Amino acid sequence: MGRSVFRYCVIALLLASAALPAAAQQTPPAEAASTLTAAELQRLVAPVALYPDTLLIQILIAATAPLDVIKADRLLGNDPSASVAGRDENIRNAAFDPSVEVLALGFPTLIREMAVHIDWTETVGIAMLAQSEDVMAAVQVLRAQAINTGALVTTPQAVVSKDPVTSTVIVQPANPQVVYIPQYEPTQVYTNPVGAAVATGVMVFGTAALINEIFDDDDDWNDYWGCRNCAGWDDGVIIRNPDVDIDVDGNVNIGNNINAAWRPDNDRVGIAREEISVRRGPDGATRLDLDRPITRSDELRAKLGSGALRDGT
């Protein structure tokens, strides 16, 4: 009897072992399960990938502090009749993440959009913490596609350029003191030839932040928006807090100021990857919210004024 039981166990183990390869093929590797795919990241960042670099970076990093985004939006909306000066003082005193603070000060409509679509915002933050380099790579893929469709070109509002060595696509405000927010439909600008996107209304520039009216001349943020190297392209560091020297050509001298660079904390990286893994279904699809719903109709976008008005006022 003992030998029979032993033979039975051996046969059962062999059968189980034979079934393992097929099962393993259905289970994504641990690393893949804890990160978003390139296609998922492109879908996620599509609504903001064509924003000027420095504005884009603030959005991506602010998304890693979704609770601050919600609090900032509530603070901005508590008293619509409050003076701009009083509102700004409240924002500065709130001790928000620097990226949330600067968006609330200069681009309150973006804070509102991030708060309204907080599930999408939270996913962006998780992706930035788990795999920031992949997020930036997704931005580059989308920008290249938008160039190919004719949607992403230099305009009076923004300058589009390519690094001659790396082919990195850089988007900067045409005038660093006037930062426009582009409005576009992602399904149109990345896949279908659109010709002159601005002329056809596929992309419009509505409100803008007048930097010199928001930040003092001696404020580091005042000179930040025209920075060519602040987005962390080509293995550079991401500049969130612009306590740096920015030359006239956009080069950044960081020196020993480690507060200028943004890098995700290792503990938060682990938590973010675990969150992705937990929300990765047995079919391999993520349950994170990758889409930011369109909140502006084509008619509204077409009616957006072209004057340089402070965002949100």
Side-chain angles (χ1 to χ4, degrees):
M1 287 293 293
R3 290 181 179 178
S4 297
V5 172
F6 177 76
R7 288 195 193 99
Y8 175 80
C9 292
V10 170
I11 292 172
L13 286 171
L14 289 173
L15 290 173
S17 299
L20 281 177
Q25 291 177 3
Q26 297 175 3
T27 304
E31 179 70 16
S34 63
T35 57
L36 295 174
T37 67
E40 288 169 341
L41 289 172
Q42 290 165 30
R43 179 175 156 193
L44 177 67
V45 300
V48 295
L50 306 187
Y51 282 30
D53 288 0
T54 42
L55 180 57
L56 170 66
I57 284 301
Q58 299 310 320
I59 293 171
L60 296 179
I61 299 177
T64 68
L67 183 58
D68 278 4
V69 170
I70 293 294
K71 289 180 177 179
D73 179 60
R74 289 178 179 175
L75 191 154
L76 290 168
N78 277 345
D79 186 4
S81 64
S83 68
V84 171
R87 183 187 70 181
D88 289 357
E89 183 178 1
N90 290 336
I91 293 169
R92 289 189 170 96
N93 290 336
F96 294 136
D97 180 275
S99 293
V100 174
E101 177 180 318
V102 76
L103 289 178
L105 288 171
F107 308 88
T109 58
L110 291 181
I111 285 289
R112 167 47 56 92
E113 189 124 351
M114 294 175 72
V116 168
H117 305 303
I118 193 60
D119 291 336
W120 171 84
T121 297
E122 185 178 24
T123 304
V124 171
I126 290 171
M128 279 296 287
L129 291 170
Q131 50 190 131
S132 58
E133 293 182 2
D134 295 336
V135 172
M136 303 311 290
V139 169
Q140 283 299 311
V141 169
L142 291 171
R143 287 183 174 184
Q145 292 177 359
I147 288 176
N148 290 338
T149 65
L152 185 60
V153 297
T154 293
T155 66
Q157 294 83 14
V159 175
V160 179
S161 60
K162 273 190 177 183
D163 186 284
V165 177
T166 64
S167 295
T168 298
V169 180
I170 297 166
V171 182
Q172 297 172 272
N175 176 359
Q177 292 299 312
V178 186
V179 181
Y180 285 88
I181 305 173
Q183 303 290 339
Y184 58 88
E185 168 55 70
T187 59
Q188 294 179 338
V189 298
Y190 297 120
T191 57
N192 302 317
V194 296
V198 175
T200 58
V202 173
M203 181 183 293
V204 297
F205 295 88
T207 55
L210 295 180
I211 300 302
N212 59 1
E213 290 189 5
I214 303 169
F215 306 104
D216 297 333
D217 290 341
D218 58 352
D219 192 314
D220 295 314
W221 288 104
N222 194 67
D223 298 321
Y224 170 77
W225 304 102
C227 175
R228 181 181 176 85
N229 301 322
C230 286
W233 304 124
D234 305 323
D235 298 324
V237 296
I238 293 174
I239 307 299
R240 172 184 62 171
N241 180 355
D243 189 10
V244 296
D245 295 325
I246 301 177
D247 301 332
V248 292
D249 60 357
N251 292 323
V252 178
N253 177 20
I254 300 174
N256 295 320
N257 186 354
I258 60 174
N259 293 326
W262 180 85
R263 296 213 182 270
D265 178 83
N266 287 337
D267 289 340
R268 298 191 73 192
V269 171
I271 293 171
R273 292 194 172 188
E274 183 178 352
E275 182 70 17
I276 294 173
S277 180
V278 167
R279 299 207 198 181
R280 181 74 71 187
D283 59 351
T286 180
R287 303 298 185 259
L288 290 164
D289 194 339
L290 300 176
D291 296 307
R292 189 187 75 180
I294 301 300
T295 55
R296 294 180 174 86
S297 66
D298 289 339
E299 179 182 2
L300 177 59
R301 294 207 317 274
K303 289 181 178 179
L304 286 171
S306 60
L309 301 176
R310 176 167 179 183
D311 177 32
T313 61

